[in-house]
Amino acid sequence: MSIAPVRHVLVFFIVAALYKEAQATCFDDPTADACKDSSSFYNDTAINTDMQSLCTAMSYMTGCNIMNDCNSKKLTGVYCQPWSLISDVCDTSTGETMSMMKGCQANYNLLCKTGTKVTGCGTPVPGMIPTKTLTQRVYDYCQIQDPKPSGCNGCAANGMGCVNPLTTLSEMCKKDAKEQYCNELTKFCALHAKDTSSTSVFGVYCNFATRASMSYVLTVVMVFAGSWHASQLSW
């Protein structure tokens, strides 16, 4: 064998080894600056694979409803980006409790540790309603709806069978925004009232509200939060 082919083989294995090392480094220590761009070790295809796994296991999760609407182009924009979608399920900042699912543990949890530099970690839809809360509101409201929207069919108290619960709750709140069922959705919508285009979060899930009313709700929420914080400091 001549020297040139051997050299090419060696270069190939060196590059492959460096690529593998880069992968291992970011999954072991995502706080390195080199891990900011995940396209070489956790790209959109890999993220979508994890999302499919998660939503096959628990299709009634809030994040899966959002993914379905993104796939159908009903919803568009930054919250349809793969990193945002998997954050809807795996990130815990919204109160979601699905981080121990295999689809989160395999990659997201390893890359999105405290201090991570990976761009995309922790980017769920702001104010997203956790699955447990959302499906409970849907189930409870379905009990008094007549006629019931299709999303109520088969919806159990534990969330099982609640198809696209965010869409279903939005439909029921559009009919009658009863506070005990629509409170979380109203607050969620208030956070997204700046963009009322038809394919925005507000346009898709908040058609029971107006931008003006949501601005008022957001102001009240912020004032209440500020008053509560001040009262805690006075102790």
Side-chain angles (χ1 to χ4, degrees), residues 64-157:
C64 298
N65 190 157
I66 295 171
M67 181 189 74
N68 292 339
D69 289 331
C70 289
N71 288 343
S72 68
K73 305 301 181 183
K74 180 180 178 182
L75 178 67
T76 62
V78 294
Y79 302 125
C80 286
Q81 294 296 318
W83 266 109
S84 181
L85 290 173
I86 199 162
S87 292
D88 289 337
V89 177
C90 300
D91 191 77
T92 59
S93 65
T94 61
E96 190 60 284
T97 57
M98 305 299 177
S99 63
M100 297 312 293
M101 294 181 70
K102 288 183 179 179
C104 296
Q105 289 182 318
N107 295 297
Y108 186 92
N109 291 0
L110 296 176
L111 294 172
C112 298
K113 298 175 181 176
T114 301
T116 183
K117 294 294 180 64
V118 179
T119 301
C121 283
T123 55
V125 176
M128 191 197 80
I129 307 171
T131 298
K132 185 176 181 180
T133 300
L134 177 61
T135 53
Q136 186 65 58
R137 295 292 177 269
V138 170
Y139 175 79
D140 290 343
Y141 207 175
C142 283
Q143 304 313 300
I144 65 169
Q145 286 285 301
D146 186 24
K148 291 177 171 51
S150 59
C152 289
N153 297 334
C155 184

Coordinates of all heavy atoms in Angstrom, one line a residue, residues 64-157:
C64 N -46.9 18.3 23.4 CA -47.2 17.5 22.2 C -48.4 18.2 21.4 O -48.4 18.2 20.2 CB -47.7 16.1 22.6 SG -46.3 15.2 23.4
N65 N -49.3 18.9 22.1 CA -50.3 19.7 21.5 C -49.7 20.8 20.7 O -50.0 21.0 19.5 CB -51.2 20.3 22.6 CG -52.5 20.9 22.0 OD1 -53.5 21.1 22.8 ND2 -52.5 21.4 20.8
I66 N -48.7 21.5 21.2 CA -48.0 22.5 20.5 C -47.3 22.0 19.3 O -47.3 22.6 18.2 CB -47.0 23.3 21.5 CG1 -47.8 24.0 22.6 CG2 -46.2 24.3 20.7 CD1 -47.0 24.5 23.7
M67 N -46.6 20.8 19.5 CA -45.9 20.2 18.4 C -46.9 19.8 17.2 O -46.6 20.1 16.1 CB -45.2 18.9 18.8 CG -44.4 18.2 17.7 SD -43.7 16.6 18.2 CE -45.3 15.6 18.2
N68 N -48.0 19.3 17.6 CA -49.0 18.9 16.6 C -49.4 20.2 15.8 O -49.6 20.1 14.5 CB -50.2 18.3 17.2 CG -49.9 16.9 17.8 OD1 -49.0 16.3 17.5 ND2 -50.8 16.5 18.8
D69 N -49.6 21.3 16.4 CA -50.1 22.5 15.7 C -48.9 23.1 14.9 O -49.2 23.7 13.9 CB -50.6 23.5 16.8 CG -51.9 23.1 17.4 OD1 -52.7 22.4 16.7 OD2 -52.2 23.5 18.5
C70 N -47.7 22.9 15.3 CA -46.6 23.3 14.5 C -46.4 22.4 13.3 O -46.2 22.9 12.2 CB -45.3 23.2 15.3 SG -45.1 24.4 16.6
N71 N -46.6 21.1 13.4 CA -46.5 20.2 12.3 C -47.6 20.5 11.2 O -47.3 20.3 10.0 CB -46.6 18.8 12.8 CG -45.4 18.3 13.5 OD1 -44.3 18.9 13.4 ND2 -45.5 17.2 14.3
S72 N -48.7 20.9 11.7 CA -49.8 21.2 10.7 C -49.8 22.6 10.2 O -50.6 23.0 9.4 CB -51.2 21.0 11.4 OG -51.4 22.0 12.4
K73 N -48.8 23.4 10.7 CA -48.6 24.8 10.3 C -49.7 25.7 10.8 O -49.8 26.9 10.4 CB -48.5 25.0 8.7 CG -47.5 24.1 8.1 CD -46.1 24.4 8.6 CE -45.1 23.5 7.9 NZ -43.7 23.7 8.4
K74 N -50.5 25.2 11.7 CA -51.5 26.0 12.4 C -50.8 27.1 13.3 O -51.2 28.2 13.4 CB -52.4 25.2 13.3 CG -53.5 25.9 14.0 CD -54.3 24.9 14.8 CE -55.4 25.6 15.6 NZ -56.2 24.6 16.4
L75 N -49.7 26.6 13.9 CA -48.8 27.5 14.7 C -47.5 27.6 14.0 O -46.9 26.6 13.5 CB -48.7 26.9 16.1 CG -47.8 27.7 17.1 CD1 -48.4 29.0 17.5 CD2 -47.6 26.8 18.4
T76 N -46.9 28.8 14.0 CA -45.6 29.1 13.4 C -44.8 30.0 14.3 O -45.3 30.5 15.2 CB -45.8 29.7 12.0 OG1 -46.4 31.0 12.1 CG2 -46.6 28.9 11.0
G77 N -43.5 30.1 13.9 CA -42.7 31.0 14.7 C -41.7 30.3 15.6 O -41.4 29.1 15.5
V78 N -41.1 31.1 16.5 CA -39.9 30.6 17.3 C -40.3 29.4 18.2 O -39.5 28.6 18.5 CB -39.3 31.7 18.1 CG1 -38.7 32.8 17.3 CG2 -40.4 32.3 19.1
Y79 N -41.6 29.3 18.6 CA -42.0 28.3 19.5 C -42.2 26.9 18.8 O -42.6 25.9 19.4 CB -43.2 28.7 20.3 CG -43.0 29.9 21.1 CD1 -43.8 31.1 20.9 CD2 -41.9 30.1 21.9 CE1 -43.6 32.2 21.6 CE2 -41.6 31.2 22.6 CZ -42.5 32.3 22.5 OH -42.2 33.5 23.2
C80 N -42.0 26.9 17.5 CA -42.1 25.7 16.7 C -40.6 25.2 16.4 O -40.5 24.1 15.8 CB -42.8 25.9 15.4 SG -44.6 26.1 15.6
Q81 N -39.6 25.9 16.9 CA -38.3 25.4 16.7 C -38.1 24.1 17.6 O -38.6 24.0 18.7 CB -37.3 26.5 17.2 CG -37.3 27.7 16.3 CD -36.8 27.4 14.9 OE1 -35.9 26.7 14.6 NE2 -37.5 28.0 13.9
P82 N -37.3 23.1 17.1 CA -37.2 21.9 17.8 C -36.7 22.1 19.3 O -37.2 21.4 20.2 CB -36.1 21.1 17.0 CG -36.4 21.6 15.6 CD -36.7 23.1 15.8
W83 N -35.8 23.0 19.5 CA -35.3 23.2 20.9 C -36.4 23.7 21.8 O -36.5 23.3 23.0 CB -34.1 24.1 20.9 CG -32.8 23.5 20.9 CD1 -31.9 23.4 19.9 CD2 -32.2 22.7 22.0 NE1 -30.8 22.7 20.2 CE2 -30.9 22.2 21.5 CE3 -32.6 22.3 23.2 CZ2 -30.1 21.4 22.3 CZ3 -31.8 21.6 24.0 CH2 -30.5 21.1 23.5
S84 N -37.3 24.6 21.3 CA -38.4 25.1 22.1 C -39.4 24.0 22.4 O -39.9 23.9 23.5 CB -39.1 26.3 21.3 OG -40.1 26.8 22.1
L85 N -39.7 23.2 21.4 CA -40.6 22.1 21.5 C -40.2 21.1 22.6 O -41.0 20.7 23.5 CB -40.9 21.4 20.2 CG -41.6 22.2 19.2 CD1 -41.6 21.4 17.8 CD2 -43.1 22.5 19.6
I86 N -38.9 20.7 22.6 CA -38.5 19.7 23.5 C -38.4 20.3 24.9 O -38.5 19.7 26.0 CB -37.2 19.0 23.1 CG1 -37.0 17.7 23.9 CG2 -36.0 19.9 23.3 CD1 -36.1 16.7 23.3
S87 N -38.1 21.6 25.0 CA -38.1 22.4 26.2 C -39.5 22.4 26.9 O -39.6 22.3 28.1 CB -37.6 23.8 26.0 OG -36.2 23.8 25.7
D88 N -40.5 22.4 26.0 CA -41.9 22.4 26.5 C -42.2 21.2 27.4 O -42.9 21.2 28.3 CB -42.9 22.4 25.3 CG -43.0 23.8 24.6 OD1 -42.6 24.8 25.2 OD2 -43.4 23.8 23.5
V89 N -41.5 20.1 27.0 CA -41.7 18.8 27.7 C -40.7 18.6 28.8 O -41.1 18.2 29.9 CB -41.7 17.6 26.7 CG1 -41.8 16.3 27.4 CG2 -42.7 17.7 25.6
C90 N -39.4 18.9 28.5 CA -38.4 18.5 29.4 C -37.9 19.5 30.4 O -37.4 19.2 31.5 CB -37.1 18.0 28.6 SG -37.5 16.6 27.5
D91 N -38.2 20.8 30.1 CA -37.8 21.9 31.0 C -38.7 21.9 32.2 O -39.9 21.7 32.0 CB -37.7 23.2 30.3 CG -37.1 24.3 31.1 OD1 -35.8 24.3 31.2 OD2 -37.8 25.1 31.7
T92 N -38.2 22.2 33.4 CA -39.1 22.2 34.6 C -39.4 23.6 35.1 O -40.2 23.8 36.0 CB -38.4 21.5 35.7 OG1 -37.1 22.1 36.0 CG2 -38.1 20.0 35.4
S93 N -38.9 24.7 34.4 CA -39.2 26.0 34.8 C -40.6 26.4 34.8 O -41.1 27.3 35.5 CB -38.3 27.0 34.0 OG -38.7 27.0 32.7
T94 N -41.4 25.8 33.9 CA -42.8 26.1 33.8 C -43.7 25.3 34.8 O -44.9 25.5 34.8 CB -43.3 25.8 32.3 OG1 -43.2 24.4 32.1 CG2 -42.6 26.5 31.3
G95 N -43.1 24.4 35.5 CA -43.8 23.5 36.4 C -44.1 22.2 35.8 O -44.7 21.3 36.4
E96 N -43.6 22.0 34.5 CA -43.8 20.6 33.9 C -43.0 19.6 34.6 O -41.9 19.9 35.2 CB -43.4 20.7 32.4 CG -43.8 19.5 31.6 CD -45.3 19.2 31.6 OE1 -45.8 18.7 32.6 OE2 -45.9 19.5 30.5
T97 N -43.5 18.4 34.7 CA -42.8 17.4 35.5 C -42.5 16.1 34.7 O -42.5 15.0 35.3 CB -43.8 17.0 36.7 OG1 -45.0 16.5 36.2 CG2 -44.0 18.1 37.6
M98 N -42.1 16.3 33.5 CA -41.8 15.2 32.6 C -40.3 14.9 32.4 O -40.0 14.1 31.6 CB -42.5 15.4 31.3 CG -44.0 15.7 31.4 SD -44.9 14.3 32.1 CE -46.6 14.9 32.2
S99 N -39.5 15.6 33.1 CA -38.0 15.5 32.8 C -37.4 14.1 33.1 O -36.3 13.9 32.6 CB -37.3 16.5 33.7 OG -37.4 16.2 35.1
M100 N -38.1 13.3 33.8 CA -37.5 11.9 34.0 C -37.9 10.9 32.9 O -37.6 9.8 33.0 CB -37.9 11.4 35.4 CG -37.4 12.3 36.5 SD -35.6 12.7 36.4 CE -34.9 11.0 36.6
M101 N -38.7 11.4 31.9 CA -39.0 10.5 30.8 C -37.8 10.2 30.0 O -36.8 11.0 29.9 CB -40.1 11.1 29.9 CG -41.4 11.3 30.6 SD -42.7 12.0 29.5 CE -43.0 10.6 28.4
K102 N -37.7 9.0 29.4 CA -36.5 8.6 28.6 C -36.1 9.6 27.6 O -35.0 9.8 27.3 CB -36.8 7.2 28.0 CG -36.8 6.1 29.1 CD -37.0 4.7 28.4 CE -37.0 3.6 29.4 NZ -37.2 2.3 28.8
G103 N -37.1 10.1 26.9 CA -36.9 11.1 25.8 C -36.2 12.4 26.3 O -35.6 13.1 25.5
C104 N -36.3 12.6 27.6 CA -35.6 13.8 28.2 C -34.3 13.4 28.7 O -33.3 14.1 28.6 CB -36.5 14.4 29.3 SG -38.0 15.1 28.8
Q105 N -34.2 12.2 29.4 CA -33.0 11.8 30.0 C -31.9 11.5 29.0 O -30.7 11.7 29.2 CB -33.2 10.5 30.8 CG -34.1 10.8 32.1 CD -34.2 9.5 32.9 OE1 -34.5 8.4 32.3 NE2 -34.1 9.6 34.2
A106 N -32.3 11.0 27.8 CA -31.3 10.6 26.8 C -30.3 11.7 26.4 O -29.1 11.4 26.2 CB -32.0 10.0 25.6
N107 N -30.9 12.9 26.2 CA -30.0 13.9 25.7 C -30.3 15.3 26.4 O -29.3 15.9 26.8 CB -30.3 14.1 24.1 CG -29.9 12.9 23.3 OD1 -28.7 12.6 23.3 ND2 -30.8 12.3 22.7
Y108 N -31.5 15.7 26.4 CA -31.8 17.0 27.0 C -31.3 17.2 28.4 O -30.6 18.2 28.6 CB -33.3 17.3 26.9 CG -33.7 18.7 27.3 CD1 -33.9 19.7 26.4 CD2 -33.9 19.0 28.7 CE1 -34.3 21.0 26.7 CE2 -34.3 20.3 29.0 CZ -34.4 21.3 28.1 OH -34.8 22.6 28.4
N109 N -31.5 16.3 29.3 CA -31.1 16.5 30.6 C -29.6 16.5 30.8 O -29.1 17.3 31.6 CB -31.6 15.3 31.5 CG -33.1 15.4 31.7 OD1 -33.8 16.3 31.2 ND2 -33.7 14.4 32.4
L110 N -28.9 15.8 29.9 CA -27.4 15.8 29.9 C -26.9 17.2 29.4 O -25.9 17.7 30.0 CB -26.9 14.7 29.1 CG -27.2 13.3 29.5 CD1 -26.7 12.3 28.5 CD2 -26.6 13.0 30.9
L111 N -27.5 17.7 28.4 CA -27.0 19.0 27.8 C -27.5 20.2 28.6 O -26.8 21.3 28.5 CB -27.5 19.0 26.4 CG -26.8 18.0 25.4 CD1 -27.5 18.0 24.1 CD2 -25.3 18.2 25.3
C112 N -28.6 20.1 29.2 CA -29.2 21.3 29.8 C -29.1 21.4 31.3 O -30.1 21.7 32.0 CB -30.7 21.4 29.4 SG -30.9 21.5 27.6
K113 N -27.9 21.1 31.8 CA -27.6 21.2 33.2 C -27.4 22.6 33.6 O -27.2 23.5 32.8 CB -26.4 20.4 33.5 CG -26.5 18.9 33.2 CD -25.1 18.2 33.5 CE -25.2 16.7 33.2 NZ -23.9 16.0 33.3
T114 N -27.3 22.9 34.9 CA -27.0 24.2 35.4 C -25.7 24.7 34.8 O -24.7 24.0 34.9 CB -26.9 24.2 36.9 OG1 -28.2 23.8 37.5 CG2 -26.7 25.6 37.4
G115 N -25.7 25.9 34.3 CA -24.5 26.5 33.7 C -24.2 26.1 32.3 O -23.2 26.5 31.7
T116 N -25.1 25.4 31.6 CA -24.9 25.0 30.3 C -24.7 26.2 29.3 O -25.3 27.2 29.5 CB -26.1 24.1 29.8 OG1 -25.8 23.7 28.4 CG2 -27.4 24.9 29.8
K117 N -23.9 25.9 28.3 CA -23.7 26.9 27.3 C -24.5 26.6 26.0 O -24.4 27.3 25.0 CB -22.2 27.1 26.9 CG -21.4 27.6 28.1 CD -21.7 29.1 28.4 CE -20.9 29.6 29.5 NZ -19.5 29.7 29.2
V118 N -25.2 25.5 26.0 CA -25.9 25.0 24.8 C -27.1 25.9 24.5 O -28.0 26.1 25.3 CB -26.4 23.6 25.0 CG1 -27.2 23.1 23.8 CG2 -25.3 22.6 25.3
T119 N -27.0 26.5 23.3 CA -28.1 27.4 22.9 C -29.3 26.6 22.6 O -29.3 25.7 21.9 CB -27.7 28.2 21.6 OG1 -26.5 29.0 21.9 CG2 -28.8 29.1 21.2
G120 N -30.4 27.0 23.2 CA -31.7 26.3 23.0 C -32.2 25.6 24.3 O -33.4 25.4 24.4
C121 N -31.3 25.4 25.2 CA -31.8 24.8 26.5 C -32.7 25.8 27.2 O -32.5 27.0 27.2 CB -30.6 24.5 27.4 SG -29.7 23.0 27.0
G122 N -33.7 25.3 27.8 CA -34.6 26.2 28.6 C -35.4 27.2 27.8 O -35.4 28.4 28.2
T123 N -35.9 26.8 26.7 CA -36.7 27.8 25.8 C -38.1 27.3 25.6 O -38.6 27.3 24.4 CB -35.9 28.0 24.5 OG1 -35.8 26.7 23.8 CG2 -34.6 28.6 24.6
P124 N -38.8 27.0 26.6 CA -40.2 26.6 26.4 C -41.1 27.8 26.1 O -40.6 29.0 26.3 CB -40.6 26.0 27.7 CG -39.8 26.7 28.7 CD -38.5 26.9 28.0
V125 N -42.3 27.6 25.7 CA -43.2 28.7 25.5 C -43.4 29.4 26.8 O -43.8 28.7 27.8 CB -44.6 28.2 24.9 CG1 -45.6 29.4 24.8 CG2 -44.4 27.5 23.6
P126 N -43.2 30.7 27.0 CA -43.4 31.4 28.3 C -44.8 31.2 28.8 O -45.8 31.3 28.1 CB -43.1 32.8 27.9 CG -42.2 32.8 26.7 CD -42.7 31.6 25.9
G127 N -44.8 30.8 30.1 CA -46.1 30.7 30.8 C -46.9 29.4 30.4 O -48.0 29.3 30.8
M128 N -46.2 28.5 29.7 CA -46.9 27.2 29.3 C -47.5 26.6 30.5 O -47.0 26.5 31.6 CB -45.9 26.3 28.7 CG -46.5 25.1 28.0 SD -45.3 23.8 27.7 CE -45.2 23.0 29.3
I129 N -48.7 26.1 30.3 CA -49.5 25.4 31.4 C -49.0 24.0 31.5 O -49.1 23.2 30.5 CB -51.0 25.4 31.1 CG1 -51.5 26.9 30.8 CG2 -51.8 24.8 32.3 CD1 -52.9 27.0 30.3
P130 N -48.5 23.5 32.7 CA -48.1 22.2 32.8 C -49.2 21.2 32.5 O -50.3 21.4 32.7 CB -47.7 22.1 34.3 CG -47.4 23.5 34.7 CD -48.4 24.3 33.9
T131 N -48.8 20.0 32.0 CA -49.7 19.0 31.6 C -50.7 18.6 32.7 O -51.9 18.5 32.4 CB -49.0 17.8 31.1 OG1 -48.1 18.1 30.0 CG2 -49.9 16.7 30.7
K132 N -50.2 18.4 33.9 CA -51.1 17.9 34.9 C -52.2 19.0 35.2 O -53.4 18.6 35.4 CB -50.3 17.7 36.2 CG -51.2 17.1 37.3 CD -50.3 16.8 38.5 CE -51.1 16.2 39.7 NZ -50.3 15.8 40.9
T133 N -51.8 20.2 35.3 CA -52.8 21.3 35.5 C -53.8 21.4 34.3 O -55.0 21.5 34.5 CB -52.1 22.6 35.7 OG1 -51.2 22.5 36.9 CG2 -53.1 23.8 36.0
L134 N -53.2 21.4 33.1 CA -54.0 21.6 31.9 C -55.0 20.5 31.7 O -56.2 20.8 31.5 CB -53.1 21.7 30.7 CG -53.8 21.8 29.3 CD1 -54.6 23.1 29.3 CD2 -52.8 21.7 28.2
T135 N -54.6 19.3 31.9 CA -55.6 18.2 31.6 C -56.6 18.1 32.7 O -57.8 17.7 32.5 CB -54.8 16.8 31.5 OG1 -54.0 16.6 32.7 CG2 -54.0 16.8 30.3
Q136 N -56.3 18.5 33.9 CA -57.3 18.6 35.0 C -58.3 19.6 34.7 O -59.5 19.4 34.9 CB -56.6 18.9 36.4 CG -57.5 18.8 37.6 CD -58.1 17.4 37.8 OE1 -57.3 16.5 38.0 NE2 -59.4 17.2 37.8
R137 N -57.9 20.8 34.2 CA -58.9 21.8 33.9 C -59.8 21.4 32.7 O -61.0 21.6 32.8 CB -58.1 23.1 33.4 CG -57.3 23.8 34.5 CD -58.2 24.4 35.6 NE -57.3 24.9 36.7 CZ -56.9 24.2 37.7 NH1 -57.3 23.0 37.9 NH2 -56.1 24.8 38.6
V138 N -59.2 20.7 31.8 CA -60.0 20.2 30.6 C -61.0 19.2 31.1 O -62.2 19.2 30.8 CB -59.0 19.6 29.6 CG1 -59.9 18.8 28.5 CG2 -58.2 20.6 28.9
Y139 N -60.5 18.2 31.9 CA -61.4 17.2 32.4 C -62.6 17.8 33.2 O -63.7 17.4 33.0 CB -60.7 16.2 33.3 CG -61.6 15.2 34.0 CD1 -62.0 14.1 33.2 CD2 -62.0 15.3 35.3 CE1 -62.9 13.1 33.8 CE2 -62.8 14.4 35.9 CZ -63.3 13.3 35.1 OH -64.1 12.4 35.7
D140 N -62.2 18.7 34.1 CA -63.3 19.3 35.0 C -64.3 20.1 34.1 O -65.5 20.0 34.4 CB -62.6 20.2 36.0 CG -61.9 19.5 37.1 OD1 -62.1 18.2 37.2 OD2 -61.0 20.1 37.8
Y141 N -63.8 20.9 33.2 CA -64.7 21.7 32.4 C -65.5 20.8 31.4 O -66.7 21.1 31.2 CB -63.9 22.7 31.6 CG -64.6 24.0 31.2 CD1 -64.0 25.0 30.6 CD2 -66.0 24.1 31.5 CE1 -64.6 26.2 30.3 CE2 -66.6 25.3 31.2 CZ -66.0 26.3 30.6 OH -66.6 27.5 30.3
C142 N -65.0 19.7 31.0 CA -65.7 18.8 30.1 C -67.0 18.3 30.8 O -68.0 17.9 30.1 CB -64.8 17.6 29.7 SG -63.6 18.1 28.3
Q143 N -66.9 18.2 32.1 CA -68.0 17.6 32.9 C -69.3 18.4 32.8 O -70.4 17.9 33.0 CB -67.6 17.3 34.3 CG -66.4 16.5 34.5 CD -66.4 15.2 33.7 OE1 -67.2 14.4 33.8 NE2 -65.4 15.1 32.8
I144 N -69.1 19.7 32.5 CA -70.3 20.6 32.5 C -70.6 21.1 31.1 O -71.5 21.9 30.9 CB -70.2 21.7 33.5 CG1 -69.0 22.7 33.1 CG2 -69.9 21.2 34.9 CD1 -69.0 24.0 33.8
Q145 N -69.8 20.7 30.1 CA -70.0 21.2 28.7 C -71.2 20.4 28.1 O -71.3 19.2 28.1 CB -68.8 21.0 27.9 CG -67.7 22.0 28.3 CD -68.0 23.4 27.7 OE1 -68.1 23.6 26.6 NE2 -68.0 24.4 28.7
D146 N -72.0 21.2 27.4 CA -73.1 20.5 26.6 C -73.5 21.5 25.4 O -74.0 22.5 25.7 CB -74.3 20.3 27.5 CG -75.4 19.5 26.8 OD1 -75.1 18.8 25.8 OD2 -76.6 19.6 27.1
P147 N -73.1 21.1 24.2 CA -72.5 19.8 23.9 C -71.0 19.9 24.1 O -70.4 21.0 24.2 CB -72.7 19.8 22.3 CG -72.8 21.2 21.9 CD -73.5 21.9 23.1
K148 N -70.3 18.8 24.3 CA -68.9 18.7 24.6 C -68.1 18.8 23.3 O -68.5 18.2 22.3 CB -68.6 17.4 25.3 CG -69.1 17.3 26.7 CD -68.8 15.9 27.3 CE -69.1 15.8 28.8 NZ -70.4 16.3 29.1
P149 N -67.0 19.5 23.3 CA -66.1 19.5 22.1 C -65.5 18.2 22.0 O -65.4 17.4 22.9 CB -65.0 20.6 22.5 CG -65.0 20.7 24.0 CD -66.5 20.4 24.4
S150 N -65.0 17.9 20.8 CA -64.5 16.5 20.5 C -63.3 16.2 21.4 O -63.1 15.0 21.7 CB -64.0 16.5 19.0 OG -63.0 17.4 18.7
G151 N -62.6 17.2 21.9 CA -61.4 16.9 22.7 C -61.8 16.3 24.1 O -60.9 15.8 24.8
C152 N -63.1 16.4 24.4 CA -63.5 15.8 25.7 C -63.7 14.3 25.6 O -63.7 13.6 26.6 CB -64.9 16.5 26.1 SG -64.7 18.2 26.7
N153 N -63.9 13.8 24.4 CA -64.2 12.4 24.2 C -63.0 11.5 24.7 O -61.9 11.7 24.3 CB -64.4 12.1 22.8 CG -65.6 12.8 22.2 OD1 -66.6 13.1 23.0 ND2 -65.7 13.1 20.9
G154 N -63.3 10.7 25.7 CA -62.3 9.8 26.2 C -61.3 10.5 27.2 O -60.3 9.8 27.6
C155 N -61.5 11.7 27.5 CA -60.6 12.4 28.4 C -60.8 12.0 29.9 O -61.9 12.2 30.4 CB -60.7 13.9 28.3 SG -59.6 14.9 29.3
A156 N -59.8 11.4 30.5 CA -59.9 10.9 31.9 C -59.3 11.9 32.9 O -58.6 12.8 32.5 CB -59.2 9.6 32.0
A157 N -59.6 11.7 34.1 CA -59.2 12.6 35.2 C -57.7 12.7 35.3 O -57.1 13.7 35.7 CB -59.8 12.2 36.5

